[in-house]
Amino acid sequence: MATPYNHKSIEKKWKKIWEEKPINVNDGKKEKYYCLDMFPYPSGNGLHVGHWRGYVISDVWSRYQIMQDKYVIHPMGWDAFGLPAENYAIKMGVHPAKSTQENVDNIRRQIKQIAAVYDWDMEVNTTDPAFYKWTQWIFVQMFKKGLAYEKEMPINWCPSCKTGLANEEVVNGKCERCGADVTKKNLKQWMLKITEYADRLLSDLDKLDWPQKVKKMQTDWIGKSYGAEVDFSIDGRDEKITVYTTRPDTLYGATFMVLAPEHELAKGLANDETRSAVEDYIYQTSLKSSVDRLQDKEKTGVFTGSYAINPLNGAKIPIWLSDYVLADYGTGAIMCVPAHDDRDFEFAKKFDIPIIQVIAKDGVEIPDMQEAYTDAVGTMINSGDWNGMESAVLKKEAPHMIEKAGLGKATVNYKLRDWVFSRQRYWGEPIPIVHCPDCGCVPVPEEELPLLLPDVESYEPTGTGESPLAAIDEWVNCTCPKCGKAAKRETNTMPQWAGSSWYFLRYVDNKNDNELVSKEKAHKYLPVDMYIGGVEHAVLHLLYARFYTKFLYDIGVVDFEEPFTKLFNQGMITGKNGIKMSKSKGNVVSPDELVEDYGCDSLRLYELFVGPPELDSEWDDRGIDGVYRFLSKLWKLCESHKDDNIEPTKELLRERHLLIHDITTRLESFSLNTVISGFMEHCNNLSALGKDGGIDKETLTTFAVLLAPFAPHIAEELYEMLGHDTSVFAAGWPKYDKALMEADEIEIGVQVNGKMRGTISIPKDCDKDSAIAKAKEMLGDKLSGNVVKEIYVPGRIVNIVAR
RNA sequence: GCCGGCGUGGCGGAAUUGGCAGACGCACCAGACUCAAAAUCUGGCGGUAGCAAUAUCGUAUGGGUUCAAGUCCCAUCGCCGGCACCA
């Protein structure tokens, strides 16, 4: 009696068995493999099919490693502090601790449906005091090393989220979280000196097996450039202004200088005549949001009334202020060479400033210049001693020449800025610092950590730049740990990235009260071998986590400098027409019903089958029927196998080894969508081959074993049905034999002048003459004219060139 | 503006990296089973011409290299992503 494929009973059965007898065991001898998902923040909406994809990919990969006899570390946790969680709680009118807990429970339930081999004993939650004790501890260590410092400066401010933001959180002048226009606000902030690690963060990218795209994004974000700082004296004054330039070769062409309006000397350079205009310009600039400042296409500026002296030739050049110069990059002041820089050219044209060419393009000065010549290609002119030199050579040598002459120094600059680390919000780790009137900033003693986030009724953001914690007197008022005098606590909290910058270290030792992670376990189980998640964290989380890891390496906590050896970015699953799934668009597909109707195995396969895992894919519910039919077909094929004594035919044996080969090579290269199509194709082939004599047990068993990482429940069931009494995951990964994959007779294409004209069947090791002869025989009178050339590529093609 | 990536049937997508374009699946069409439908099974499914064998065109567009190009080179168009006054 044939029974149809019943996903419900099969999946229920094997979930229970795995719970009783886990398939992933640490016997202390096996090689470890750490496969990590980017942990989710517990949103109130639960998971949709897009979230599933990443978890299915990582689970397939983990199960494959288990079948390679490795002990796989595959943990899951919750990034539960931060803005999204807090905003959700405000909306629902509950305390974030409560809503976060509920959301975690719901998502954990959904993730368990995936039937992933997560080790739930390793679970972490960034809002757990036993966890954030160490988030705070790391901050204290950074403070002690001078890497965490306080600074008052204009920072990015999101008026909607009512908090300061890091540079990385501002996307096109808008808040990364809510999309509101970011403004500037002058606030005293905690900063982390990530710039101290800029060079290592850049150079160590070479060591990583990461997508080129992500490496490039980090490289660009760090933005290293080589150049020179050049000192210009101010005419009639003692002060000097230092500018940064990457084109010191064009120094003779500087015809003016521009300072950022925020530059400390800006105001002082004005004279009685220019003072009101200068002060007005500085004031107007301060009102502009970063969006306005970005979008202003027309250059604006004001002449200060002062002049700088070009150190090379003593030329007097006017000093201007303009908001196209950034205060926080380089020195906040630039020398302007309009002939060889687009922005300077535009500015010079608008304000009628002279343009002096110093590089002769193709050996001549450009007559009637309409745009700047920005290439460093050509011979120097109008440049005193430098005349006749090659610009490209001079560009490299000039910084050292300038340094030697005492006019400045060769220097390197980065676009990367220090990390604004304070948030004026409630739902985050309190920064463990006490402000003492006598001792200044004093860290909370390590034995007093964690510094608990006080439980309060009202936690909504104030919008004033003060944290909600500032209103809780009994928490704020404390005594200085150093001198015992009355003092006040720091009231800002940490950004969401604080916990996610190191959580992957904690999984392997999540109950350790004495250390962030024991040296032994860190050495044994880390770093992460495979990290899987969306590309949206390319410069945020991934840069911060690398920074934290390098710091922890420097203070001896871990013995590796890079946290994630290999990175895989899965593409997004979108709704119809590539529209991002969202509740407001009403195009969210929940996995819950699909699991109910088709089963976890089918949904797992379909998540992979929709498209290449690294690309975005549009979700279409109808397609899941295809994978369900495939599983049903396979089920029937195995169920109809009754005779274990069937010997495989040569064709079946070949099919078996081709199957192993195809699945293994495609899985190894992460081409998971073609793994699934490969299963379907070979299932169809087997079905055809087995029509007469049936299929041998070994071939069907091999199919079940290969399918195990992808559709684990049905694989176990089929494996058992075929008469095996151990788990399919203990079967070991099948090996293919190349010799058995080859057929004796192969079919190859025959072309005449490169056009397909038919096929011939020849022995696999057929020599050229016989192949050509056979091809000509097949072609008959289709071949006309004189044969000029005969091409035979064994196993591929015959091409006859005739005129 | 600069830097990446991509462009293949009605749709999602394959193509051993230069060697039979459209695997696999969805949708669709026809047939079988059925009183009927669903499910299932069998077959078909890029365009044009033809009853057909077959011919011919065809991987965004135009050129090139090659015995052979979806794949390599040059130019153009379109879409997506990143950065965006970083001197």
Side-chain angles (χ1 to χ4, degrees):
Chain A
M1 261 301 278
T3 46
Y5 168 47
N6 182 337
H7 65 264
K8 277 189 189 161
S9 62
I10 293 171
E11 293 184 0
K12 201 173 154 198
K13 170 181 164 186
W14 288 100
K15 278 204 175 85
K16 190 159 172 278
I17 293 175
W18 292 330
E19 226 160 81
E20 286 159 5
K21 198 162 181 280
I23 60 161
N24 180 36
V25 284
N26 183 12
D27 64 0
K29 283 179 237 148
K30 289 182 186 172
E31 192 185 331
K32 71 92 185 180
Y33 191 90
Y34 192 162
C35 180
L36 179 66
D37 291 283
M38 291 185 186
F39 67 161
Y41 73 84
S43 132
N45 300 327
L47 300 181
H48 59 64
V49 290
H51 300 107
W52 255 65
R53 169 137 92 160
Y55 303 139
V56 170
I57 292 169
S58 75
D59 188 58
V60 164
W61 195 247
S62 296
R63 286 177 185 268
Y64 178 52
Q65 300 303 327
I66 290 170
M67 293 179 82
Q68 311 276 351
D69 204 32
K70 288 180 188 157
Y71 165 55
V72 174
I73 299 142
H74 190 42
M76 181 49 74
W78 315 103
D79 188 15
F81 264 139
L83 281 174
E86 185 178 331
N87 288 342
Y88 177 79
I90 291 170
K91 206 173 99 195
M92 304 306 282
V94 297
H95 194 277
K98 184 166 178 277
S99 58
T100 296
Q101 191 53 52
E102 286 169 5
N103 294 342
V104 163
D105 290 341
N106 182 44
I107 294 179
R108 191 192 294 106
R109 174 193 65 79
Q110 285 190 302
I111 286 183
K112 284 191 171 175
Q113 285 189 330
I114 296 168
V117 288
Y118 292 119
D119 186 341
W120 292 100
D121 287 339
M122 291 184 173
E123 188 173 347
V124 300
N125 183 325
T126 54
T127 64
D128 177 356
F131 180 93
Y132 72 68
K133 168 182 177 176
W134 298 106
T135 312
Q136 292 174 329
W137 181 86
I138 295 170
F139 183 87
V140 171
Q141 306 313 308
M142 286 194 177
F143 177 79
K144 287 180 176 168
K145 295 280 176 193
L147 290 169
Y149 64 98
E150 232 186 345
K151 188 182 179 186
E152 178 160 340
M153 58 178 253
I155 55 145
N156 298 307
W157 174 263
C158 174
S160 161
C161 295
K162 296 174 181 152
T163 183
L165 300 173
N167 247 343
E168 288 80 7
E169 291 171 306
V170 182
V171 179
N172 291 326
K174 293 179 191 299
C175 171
E176 186 245 352
R177 276 290 160 206
C178 69
D181 285 355
V182 170
T183 59
K184 290 277 175 189
K185 197 177 181 93
N186 220 38
L187 276 184
K188 202 168 189 188
Q189 296 289 315
W190 281 97
M191 309 283 291
L192 295 188
K193 223 182 254 177
I194 190 171
T195 51
E196 190 137 304
Y197 284 75
D199 224 17
R200 286 164 68 188
L201 288 168
L202 182 67
S203 57
D204 285 351
L205 283 172
D206 289 342
K207 299 181 191 165
L208 301 175
D209 184 3
W210 282 20
Q212 277 309 315
K213 184 183 168 184
V214 176
K215 287 198 198 183
K216 176 141 194 325
M217 281 167 75
Q218 291 213 356
T219 302
D220 290 349
W221 190 260
I222 294 166
K224 186 176 188 176
S225 66
Y226 299 87
E229 281 181 5
V230 186
D231 301 327
F232 284 65
S233 52
I234 305 169
D235 189 35
R237 289 170 180 250
D238 289 338
E239 293 126 314
K240 56 177 191 171
I241 296 172
T242 305
V243 303
Y244 172 70
T245 180
T246 56
R247 294 295 302 277
D249 54 313
T250 63
L251 187 46
Y252 278 96
T255 55
F256 61 107
M257 179 183 277
V258 176
L259 269 54
E262 297 91 345
H263 195 282
E264 52 177 7
L265 291 176
K267 236 179 201 168
L269 292 171
N271 56 33
D272 291 345
E273 218 171 290
T274 60
R275 186 156 295 119
S276 72
V278 165
E279 286 180 0
D280 186 55
Y281 188 79
I282 293 172
Y283 175 69
Q284 292 300 331
T285 305
S286 73
L287 296 180
K288 280 189 190 173
S289 74
S290 38
V291 188
D292 292 340
R293 216 167 143 167
L294 277 175
Q295 284 173 347
D296 279 349
K297 294 214 172 71
E298 185 93 347
K299 294 263 180 296
T300 61
V302 65
F303 174 50
T304 59
S306 295
Y307 292 84
I309 308 292
N310 187 325
L312 280 184
N313 59 6
K316 249 174 84 173
I317 59 174
I319 305 173
W320 288 67
L321 302 183
S322 175
D323 65 4
Y324 83 89
V325 174
L326 304 173
D328 57 354
Y329 179 77
T331 60
I334 59 169
M335 65 170 207
C336 298
V337 185
H340 304 292
D341 181 277
D342 291 327
R343 296 149 301 183
D344 299 347
F345 184 86
E346 190 190 334
F347 195 87
K349 278 281 176 197
K350 174 153 181 190
F351 294 104
D352 212 18
I353 299 169
I355 297 170
I356 301 174
Q357 294 183 43
V358 291
I359 302 170
K361 183 189 181 186
D362 304 325
V364 289
E365 204 162 329
I366 300 165
D368 188 27
M369 212 176 205
Q370 291 304 311
E371 56 176 13
Y373 175 60
T374 57
D375 298 344
V377 179
T379 317
M380 303 310 298
I381 50 170
N382 302 325
S383 293
D385 296 346
W386 293 352
N387 280 337
M389 288 186 74
E390 282 305 310
S391 163
V393 175
L394 183 58
K395 188 179 171 216
K396 275 190 194 138
E397 288 179 5
H400 308 289
M401 293 160 70
I402 286 164
E403 188 166 316
K404 245 186 195 161
L407 308 175
K409 59 176 184 182
T411 178
V412 161
N413 249 303
Y414 299 92
K415 290 188 192 177
L416 185 70
R417 309 293 149 88
D418 277 344
W419 178 3
V420 175
F421 201 67
S422 309
R423 297 293 177 275
Q424 293 70 45
R425 297 284 296 230
Y426 169 72
W427 193 236
E429 302 87 346
I431 291 176
I433 291 287
V434 171
H435 296 274
C436 171
D438 292 342
C439 311
C441 293
V442 181
V444 172
E446 289 174 27
E447 59 277 12
E448 286 177 28
L449 297 177
L451 171 61
L452 292 174
L453 181 65
D455 191 9
V456 291
E457 295 272 310
S458 169
Y459 57 86
E460 298 203 9
T462 62
T464 59
E466 283 264 326
S467 159
L469 293 180
I472 313 168
D473 288 341
E474 63 274 27
W475 188 79
V476 173
N477 294 316
C478 61
T479 54
C480 172
K482 212 167 174 181
C483 69
K485 278 199 197 131
K488 287 189 186 298
R489 290 194 186 284
E490 169 64 47
T491 58
N492 283 325
T493 54
M494 298 188 194
Q496 183 167 19
W497 314 107
S500 60
S501 294
W502 71 277
Y503 75 106
F504 45 90
L505 303 173
R506 186 66 180 173
Y507 280 130
V508 300
D509 200 9
N510 65 345
K511 291 168 191 76
N512 192 337
D513 282 337
N514 305 313
E515 292 164 293
L516 184 156
V517 58
S518 80
K519 279 207 166 68
E520 185 210 342
K521 286 186 172 166
H523 177 73
K524 196 166 167 190
Y525 299 125
L526 286 150
V528 172
D529 295 286
M530 171 67 93
Y531 198 23
I532 295 176
V535 75
E536 66 273 17
H537 291 121
V539 285
L540 285 157
H541 161 60
L542 288 172
L543 190 65
Y544 296 151
R546 294 181 62 221
F547 164 50
Y548 263 55
T549 303
K550 287 182 188 304
F551 172 69
L552 293 172
Y553 170 82
D554 288 351
I555 63 169
V557 174
V558 297
D559 58 2
F560 48 89
E561 287 199 66
E562 284 293 337
F564 314 123
T565 308
K566 189 175 167 77
L567 174 71
F568 182 81
N569 290 128
Q570 91 270 13
M572 207 175 26
I573 297 267
T574 67
K576 204 79 213 128
N577 302 319
I579 298 163
K580 200 172 169 176
M581 282 194 186
S582 76
K583 219 176 173 182
S584 57
K585 297 259 164 49
N587 61 353
V588 175
V589 181
S590 161
D592 293 12
E593 297 92 70
L594 292 168
V595 170
E596 176 68 18
D597 295 345
Y598 295 91
C600 169
D601 282 340
S602 289
L603 184 53
R604 286 171 62 109
L605 294 188
Y606 188 55
E607 290 277 354
L608 302 174
F609 190 58
V610 274
E614 71 279 8
L615 299 184
D616 293 352
S617 299
E618 284 179 25
W619 187 264
D620 182 357
D621 266 349
R622 285 181 299 190
I624 197 171
D625 285 313
V627 291
Y628 188 81
R629 280 177 201 140
F630 153 66
L631 288 181
S632 306
K633 223 183 270 180
L634 179 66
W635 174 267
K636 266 190 231 163
L637 215 56
C638 293
E639 235 224 345
S640 61
H641 172 87
K642 293 286 179 269
D643 183 0
D644 284 355
N645 295 320
I646 295 172
E647 284 295 317
T649 61
K650 207 164 180 187
E651 286 73 29
L652 273 170
L653 203 58
R654 177 163 169 261
E655 186 62 27
R656 180 158 97 213
H657 285 270
L658 278 172
L659 170 71
I660 303 170
H661 171 266
D662 287 354
I663 301 305
T664 308
T665 53
R666 292 171 191 189
L667 175 53
E668 289 280 355
S669 62
F670 247 73
S671 179
L672 303 178
N673 54 326
T674 61
V675 168
I676 308 306
S677 64
F679 277 129
M680 292 171 168
E681 201 175 346
H682 286 290
C683 180
N684 292 343
N685 292 347
L686 284 180
S687 166
L689 288 173
K691 275 230 161 75
D692 302 326
I695 304 165
D696 63 292
K697 176 177 164 178
E698 185 59 29
T699 298
L700 291 173
T701 299
T702 302
F703 206 113
V705 173
L706 292 170
L707 187 65
F710 303 90
H713 309 87
I714 191 173
E716 287 273 31
E717 185 70 22
L718 294 177
Y719 193 68
E720 187 185 69
M721 198 159 86
L722 290 162
H724 303 273
D725 55 10
T726 55
S727 166
V728 70
F729 290 97
W733 197 255
K735 304 238 178 323
Y736 57 87
D737 182 342
K738 271 215 154 106
L740 293 172
M741 281 160 49
E742 286 174 8
D744 297 339
E745 285 274 310
I746 55 167
E747 202 175 68
I748 67 168
V750 176
Q751 301 180 332
V752 176
N753 296 331
K755 288 194 175 191
M756 279 306 302
R757 281 295 177 269
T759 57
I760 51 170
S761 191
I762 54 170
K764 67 175 179 214
D765 47 6
C766 185
D767 61 82
K768 181 171 176 178
D769 290 345
S770 344
I772 299 288
K774 184 116 191 214
K776 281 182 175 165
E777 186 191 328
M778 186 279 291
L779 288 168
D781 51 3
K782 275 185 204 161
L783 186 61
S784 59
N786 298 323
V787 172
V788 185
K789 202 169 176 183
E790 289 161 343
I791 290 145
Y792 171 55
V793 183
R796 295 282 154 85
I797 205 118
V798 169
N799 189 11
I800 294 172
V801 186
R803 292 272 141 73

